[in-house]
Amino acid sequence: MGKKSTETKTETVQKENKNLSECPFDFQLSRKALVALKQIITNAQQGHKKLLDESIPISLYLHVHKIPRCTYLRLASQLPHPFIQQDTRDVCLFVRDDDISGRDFESTIRRFKSMIDQFKLPFNIDIMTLKQLNQELVPYEAKRKLCARYDLFLADRRIMTSLMRGQLLGKHFRHHGKMPLGINVFNKDFKQRLTSLCSSIFGRMAGTGPLFSMQFTTVQQSIDHGIENLKSICETIGQELPGSWLNIGHAYLYGNNLQSLPIYYSTHNKNDVKKLNLPSNDPNELTHIGELSTIDKNLNVIVEPNGNIHLTKRTKLNNNFKKKKPTKRLQKIWTKGIQKSSTDKHQSKKQKNINNRDDDTPNFNTDGKPLVDTAFVKRISSTRLAKKSDKPKHKEENFASKPAPRAEKRKRLLAAAKQSSKGDQGDDVPTLVDDSEERKIKSGGRNDETSKIMGDIQICDQQLLKELLLQLKIDVLLPIVVFACNRPRALQTHIEALLKIRKNPDLNPIIVSLDCNDQATLQVAKNFSNKIKTIIQLPDLGPLIVPPENQLLAGYYKIARHYNYSLNRVLNEFNYDAIIVTEDDLEVSPDFLDYFQAVYPILKVDKTIWCISAWNDNGIDQKINRQADLLHRSDFFPGLGWLLTKTVWNEIKDHWPPAFWDDWMRKPEQRRDRVCIRPEVSRTGISPEGKKGVSGGQFYDSYLRKIIKNTDPIDWKSIDLNYLIKDQYDPVFDSRVNACSVITVSDLNMLDTDLKCARLRYSNKKEFIAIADVLQIMNDFKDNVPRTAYRGVVQCRYDKTRIYVTSNQQPWRSYAEISE
């Protein structure tokens, strides 16, 4: 009887499960609803041929009674009649980096790409690594574009945890149902699994609402194919959706935010859904077991995942249910004998610790077994005591190399003692200290050699600063790195101009860095033979990774990779402290190299300066003062002939961008409230060869060719440049700007010829652009910083008047507060 009843129950459960998995839809009614919905969409889109040409999706929406306890649920189904062309489907596969410690990810991409290319799949699959995500997908806009670029995202199962947690991918992936699907890249069936996922359609449920949706056809697909696809996804829903069809309240067809048509209403309610068939690897792990002491001490309580509760005796506990083991703790204290004496309660903590430390007799339970492994505890305690004994409580230190804590007081006492000895007691009275001790007191406890070194490093006052700058007014080693590609005539002209102004080849060696593998340009560089130090040819760094929407801008990706390789090689492999960076289409002034030699000591002293540039973005003849030795501080990175130090390069190299490196240098993350030094009159200009570059000569005829470069010889060694240091520059700059009267744009046409300066104020970007257009200066922003700006101020000349375009921020705070 027991066997028959068991078989009967099993068959009943199987029949119930079979009935639950059968779709309750009336497919004849579904066919009519699908025809009507397509007609509604077609009528609504009449006159919009472009929209009709696109494949408008039609989805099945289900409303469930009980929401599954899941953060993200997706069901996959292979349609008998796919409505997405496989050759037009874009898939992105996230993989784990081969080299976890380094920053290079291109080798990993090449390896996976070559492996997938062997499969000859009909769809396009792009590879991305975790490092690439962390480096390139930091901005919010980049994550949004990545989500919209691909139809499906897959991921190596080893990195699924990293992708799903935090904000690595962003909310757009979850909102649009494009969270990556896990796949085992080392499985022997990797190709079949990859093909299956890429050719499937997916339904999603976020776990926060009762709706579940799954796309199954389009407006252009035939009715018969659409109904067959609907039957296929209904079969998948019945087998895999938690609660199956009992959990479905109603269903309707939905088409592209236009209208929905109901096709099914359930007669069940949520009380009919006993449990949701969520998968579990081990049901015993979800079963909780505990004691129930309120009824009987010999009872255990078993709570199953479905909520059923059983009371069983401990002797009949099923072996499949493993009771959680209690946490093992090391008992550090044991007492003498089996029981504690009553006198222990009255002992102090210190006395108890002494007794416990000296006693090695363990404590036994009623079965005669020791409670603690005394040998193990003794070994651990002795090791800890040995470690503590290695550290002496008092450490003797030699304070001879450190400043005395009361050095200033000792100096005053020494001066008073010497004064009194000279005035009253004469020369027979000995001094308090000898000469060596006196030097030690004056130096704060340092010896002569240490004091000299510290004096060279730490600048205590302005007088010492000036002396240091005078000492540094010597020519230093500043190599010139010339970047070139495929313009042989431009390279020839540029190197000849550098050789003409170079006075010492040892201090300004020329290094030519070549990309593009152009033989004519390479031959031009070789013709200079020993006049240039070396030629760097960019090696094969693998395929260039360019996003599909930036294929027309691939040249900027090549330039960024070229700069990254050559700058790192020159500064770290050739081991130069600083270099001058130029390009083959630049013209240079006669004092180009002397200018960098003169300003370089200021950069070494003032840590708020991170680069020196020879370019003025507003360097048109009518907009500048022809004072050739006038220099400025600027928050905007100008480039186009600039000096870079090894310290700055090692600071930014790990985050070097794949393209548009100059705009990346202007971001606050790299600038860090530091400035560049720029001249009033540019020391570089753009030659006509610049029209043949990647930009295609953009702004050359209208603006760049009008920038003038200095032609007057300047004796930079005779000029004091201390005014460029921040502590001296800012007060003078603020007082000069604030001394000017405030005017409006309409007042420019009526300016007094004797007016030396004036201020034009702006409160947002639109107002600045309007002012800049009237003044005929550059009006664009890079990360909220106008060109040539310092503390929000852009200066230029208008007729004979110096104009300061200033922000309304009083006092100045930051560029982030400049609104649109």
Side-chain angles (χ1 to χ4, degrees):
M1 291 293 293
K3 291 184 179 180
K4 291 183 179 179
S5 60
T6 304
E7 292 176 358
T8 304
K9 290 181 180 179
T10 305
E11 292 176 357
T12 304
V13 171
Q14 290 178 354
K15 289 181 180 179
E16 289 180 357
N17 294 336
K18 185 177 180 181
N19 294 332
L20 291 177
S21 61
E22 292 181 355
C23 179
F25 291 174
D26 183 356
F27 288 103
Q28 294 296 331
L29 179 63
S30 300
R31 176 185 292 271
K32 295 179 181 180
L34 183 59
V35 172
L37 183 61
K38 287 188 176 183
Q39 186 63 37
I40 292 173
I41 295 175
T42 305
N43 296 337
Q45 298 296 328
Q46 283 183 357
H48 303 279
K49 294 184 178 180
K50 291 184 178 179
L51 294 178
L52 284 174
D53 292 339
E54 297 177 356
S55 181
I56 299 177
I58 296 177
S59 304
L60 172 66
Y61 271 62
L62 303 176
H63 188 282
V64 298
H65 290 302
K66 290 185 178 181
I67 303 173
R69 293 182 179 180
C70 59
T71 56
Y72 199 78
L73 174 66
R74 253 198 305 200
L75 304 184
S77 176
Q78 285 191 340
L79 302 180
H81 304 285
F83 52 85
I84 300 177
Q85 297 182 2
Q86 299 297 327
D87 55 349
T88 60
R89 192 168 197 182
D90 294 326
V91 182
C92 181
L93 174 62
F94 298 117
V95 297
R96 181 182 177 183
D97 295 271
D98 294 337
D99 184 11
I100 302 177
S101 59
R103 294 190 61 84
D104 179 37
F105 53 82
E106 294 183 356
S107 59
T108 306
I109 294 176
R110 289 196 297 268
R111 184 174 71 85
F112 277 94
K113 194 66 177 176
S114 61
M115 178 179 65
I116 292 178
D117 289 343
Q118 296 176 0
F119 297 159
K120 297 181 180 180
L121 301 177
F123 32 78
N124 178 39
I125 298 181
D126 292 336
I127 308 297
M128 293 191 73
T129 67
L130 278 181
K131 290 180 184 176
Q132 190 175 3
L133 285 174
N134 290 322
Q135 295 177 18
E136 299 180 1
L137 291 185
V138 177
Y140 172 84
E141 185 68 16
K143 296 177 182 178
R144 187 184 64 82
K145 289 183 178 179
L146 178 66
C147 180
R149 188 186 311 164
Y150 297 98
D151 302 316
L152 178 66
F153 290 90
L154 305 176
D156 187 351
R157 287 183 178 177
R158 297 175 297 172
I159 62 172
M160 281 296 295
T161 304
S162 302
L163 290 174
M164 299 296 288
R165 67 186 180 188
Q167 298 296 326
L168 186 60
L169 292 179
K171 64 180 182 180
H172 281 286
F173 284 81
R174 189 177 299 275
H175 177 71
H176 293 284
K178 290 187 178 182
M179 293 300 290
L181 297 171
I183 185 171
N184 188 358
V185 297
F186 297 107
N187 196 334
K188 61 180 181 179
D189 298 330
F190 173 60
K191 177 181 178 181
Q192 289 76 7
R193 176 63 175 166
L194 188 64
T195 306
S196 174
L197 289 175
C198 294
S199 58
S200 300
I201 195 70
F202 299 93
R204 63 189 179 94
M205 174 178 282
T208 57
L211 287 181
F212 175 82
S213 63
M214 203 167 189
Q215 183 180 349
F216 67 94
T217 185
T218 61
V219 174
Q220 294 181 346
Q221 197 175 34
S222 64
I223 300 296
D224 294 335
H225 289 176
I227 294 299
E228 292 181 8
N229 289 343
L230 179 61
K231 293 179 180 179
S232 177
I233 66 172
C234 287
E235 183 179 354
T236 303
I237 292 171
Q239 295 176 356
E240 301 183 12
L241 185 69
S244 190
W245 291 107
L246 279 180
N247 196 25
I248 304 300
H250 54 270
Y252 53 92
L253 303 183
Y254 184 82
N256 196 25
N257 297 328
L258 293 175
Q259 193 169 356
S260 61
L261 294 179
I263 60 173
Y264 170 73
Y265 279 93
S266 175
T267 57
H268 303 283
N269 55 34
K270 63 180 181 180
N271 295 326
D272 297 332
V273 185
K274 295 183 179 180
K275 63 179 181 178
L276 301 183
N277 54 344
L278 288 174
S280 176
N281 295 330
D282 187 4
N284 295 329
E285 294 181 358
L286 303 177
T287 302
H288 298 277
I289 304 173
E291 298 178 358
L292 190 64
S293 59
T294 57
I295 298 178
D296 191 349
K297 294 183 179 180
N298 199 28
L299 286 180
N300 278 323
V301 180
I302 300 177
V303 182
E304 296 181 351
N306 57 4
N308 295 334
I309 301 176
H310 303 286
L311 298 178
T312 60
K313 291 187 177 182
R314 297 183 188 179
T315 56
K316 296 183 179 180
L317 185 63
N318 193 345
N319 295 328
N320 294 331
F321 298 144
K322 298 179 181 179
K323 188 173 182 180
K324 186 177 179 181
K325 296 181 180 179
T327 305
K328 294 183 179 180
R329 297 180 180 177
L330 179 63
Q331 300 181 12
K332 297 182 179 180
I333 300 176
W334 60 93
T335 58
K336 183 178 181 179
I338 298 177
Q339 296 180 351
K340 295 182 180 180
S341 62
S342 59
T343 58
D344 290 345
K345 299 181 181 179
H346 305 286
Q347 290 181 350
S348 63
K349 288 185 177 181
K350 185 174 181 181
Q351 187 64 29
K352 288 181 180 180
N353 292 338
I354 294 174
N355 294 338
N356 292 337
R357 190 184 304 116
D358 295 337
D359 194 0
D360 293 340
T361 305
N363 188 17
F364 296 91
N365 59 10
T366 55
D367 296 333
K369 297 181 180 180
L371 293 177
V372 182
D373 187 354
T374 56
F376 172 74
V377 174
K378 186 176 181 181
R379 185 169 66 254
I380 294 298
S381 61
S382 62
T383 305
R384 291 181 178 179
L385 290 175
K387 290 182 179 180
K388 291 183 178 179
S389 62
D390 291 342
K391 300 179 180 180
K393 295 182 179 180
H394 178 70
K395 184 178 180 181
E396 297 292 339
E397 296 184 3
N398 183 15
F399 293 94
S401 60
K402 297 183 179 181
R406 298 182 180 179
E408 294 296 331
K409 184 176 181 180
R410 293 171 65 184
K411 288 180 184 180
R412 291 194 299 270
L413 291 174
L414 175 63
K418 293 181 71 174
Q419 178 111 17
S420 62
S421 64
K422 289 181 181 179
D424 300 335
Q425 300 179 5
D427 298 335
D428 295 336
V429 180
T431 58
L432 295 179
V433 293
D434 56 5
D435 294 338
S436 62
E437 184 66 20
E438 180 181 351
R439 287 194 299 269
K440 182 180 292 187
I441 293 174
K442 291 182 178 179
S443 63
R446 305 184 185 94
N447 54 25
D448 295 340
E449 183 178 358
T450 307
S451 300
K452 183 177 184 301
I453 296 173
M454 296 301 294
D456 292 339
I457 296 176
Q458 297 179 355
I459 301 170
C460 301
D461 52 22
Q462 295 297 327
Q463 184 63 31
L464 181 58
L465 175 59
K466 292 181 181 180
E467 294 177 0
L468 179 60
L469 291 179
L470 290 176
Q471 292 178 6
L472 291 177
K473 276 194 175 181
I474 57 175
D475 293 337
V476 296
L477 176 61
L478 292 178
I480 307 168
V481 182
V482 181
F483 285 85
C485 182
N486 56 0
R487 296 180 290 197
R489 186 170 61 179
L491 181 62
Q492 177 82 24
T493 305
H494 183 68
I495 295 180
E496 289 177 351
L498 291 175
L499 294 175
K500 186 177 180 180
I501 65 174
R502 185 174 68 172
K503 300 175 182 177
N504 190 340
D506 295 332
L507 294 179
N508 298 116
I510 298 175
I511 301 172
V512 179
S513 180
L514 299 177
D515 195 2
C516 306
N517 196 21
D518 186 72
Q519 295 300 320
T521 308
L522 176 61
Q523 188 60 41
V524 168
K526 290 182 178 180
N527 291 340
F528 287 99
S529 62
N530 58 354
K531 293 182 181 180
I532 61 178
K533 183 175 181 61
T534 186
I535 300 174
I536 299 176
Q537 290 183 270
L538 200 67
D540 184 13
L541 300 178
L544 191 67
I545 301 175
V546 182
E549 67 272 13
N550 291 340
Q551 290 297 329
L552 298 178
L553 305 175
Y556 293 100
Y557 287 80
K558 292 181 180 179
I559 293 175
R561 184 170 68 172
H562 185 191
Y563 267 75
N564 186 18
Y565 175 83
S566 297
L567 291 178
N568 188 68
R569 185 173 181 187
V570 172
L571 288 170
N572 288 327
E573 295 184 18
F574 296 173
N575 199 24
Y576 290 118
D577 291 333
I579 57 173
I580 300 172
V581 182
T582 68
E583 298 178 12
D584 56 357
D585 60 344
L586 290 182
E587 298 175 346
V588 294
S589 63
D591 63 337
F592 175 76
L593 298 178
D594 295 337
Y595 163 72
F596 286 107
Q597 291 283 1
V599 187
Y600 181 67
I602 305 293
L603 181 144
K604 296 294 290 183
V605 171
D606 191 349
K607 299 305 179 184
T608 64
I609 302 174
W610 75 313
C611 77
I612 304 169
S613 176
W615 177 260
N616 180 6
D617 283 289
N618 292 323
I620 301 177
D621 190 15
Q622 295 82 9
K623 301 302 173 185
I624 60 173
N625 292 333
R626 296 306 295 267
Q627 186 178 348
D629 59 349
L630 180 60
L631 306 180
H632 303 279
R633 293 169 66 96
S634 174
D635 296 321
F636 189 88
F637 172 75
L640 296 178
W642 54 290
L643 185 142
L644 174 67
T645 64
K646 181 194 291 188
T647 303
V648 173
W649 170 250
N650 289 331
E651 173 189 316
I652 66 176
K653 66 177 182 179
D654 292 337
H655 309 285
W656 190 258
F660 310 106
W661 67 269
D662 49 349
D663 289 340
W664 176 83
M665 291 277 287
R666 294 161 183 147
K667 291 183 177 295
E669 295 82 4
Q670 284 65 249
R671 186 167 56 85
R672 298 183 182 179
D673 292 330
R674 295 174 294 187
V675 302
C676 293
I677 301 298
R678 68 166 182 89
E680 176 74 10
V681 184
S682 290
R683 263 57 188 181
T684 55
I686 305 295
S687 68
E689 296 291 336
K691 295 191 294 184
K692 303 177 182 178
V694 175
S695 62
Q698 186 181 18
F699 303 122
Y700 178 80
D701 292 326
S702 60
Y703 187 80
L704 293 177
R705 68 179 182 87
K706 299 178 183 179
I707 302 292
I708 64 170
K709 65 179 185 297
N710 179 52
T711 56
D712 301 331
I714 302 296
D715 184 11
W716 286 104
K717 291 186 178 181
S718 63
I719 300 175
D720 186 7
L721 299 178
N722 294 347
Y723 69 90
L724 292 172
I725 298 174
K726 181 178 178 60
D727 295 338
Q728 299 186 36
Y729 187 90
D730 286 359
V732 177
F733 178 79
D734 292 339
S735 61
R736 185 187 301 119
V737 174
N738 295 332
C740 301
S741 58
V742 179
I743 64 173
T744 61
V745 177
S746 59
D747 297 331
L748 290 174
N749 296 328
M750 299 179 292
L751 284 179
D752 189 357
T753 56
D754 296 333
L755 187 62
K756 293 183 179 180
C757 65
R759 279 186 291 168
L760 288 170
R761 287 185 173 180
Y762 67 94
S763 58
N764 51 50
K765 291 183 179 180
K766 291 183 179 180
E767 293 182 4
F768 177 86
I769 292 173
I771 295 173
D773 291 341
V774 174
L775 296 175
Q776 296 180 356
I777 60 176
M778 297 292 282
N779 63 1
D780 60 331
F781 287 75
K782 298 295 183 181
D783 282 273
N784 265 28
V785 182
R787 292 183 183 268
T788 73
Y790 180 66
R791 295 167 62 86
V793 179
V794 176
Q795 49 184 310
C796 66
R797 183 171 63 89
Y798 190 83
D799 290 337
K800 295 182 180 181
T801 305
R802 191 72 173 177
I803 300 295
Y804 296 97
V805 185
T806 64
S807 172
N808 281 340
Q809 298 182 31
Q810 297 296 332
W812 168 253
R813 292 180 294 275
S814 69
Y815 290 100
E817 298 187 19
I818 300 178
S819 61
E820 295 292 335

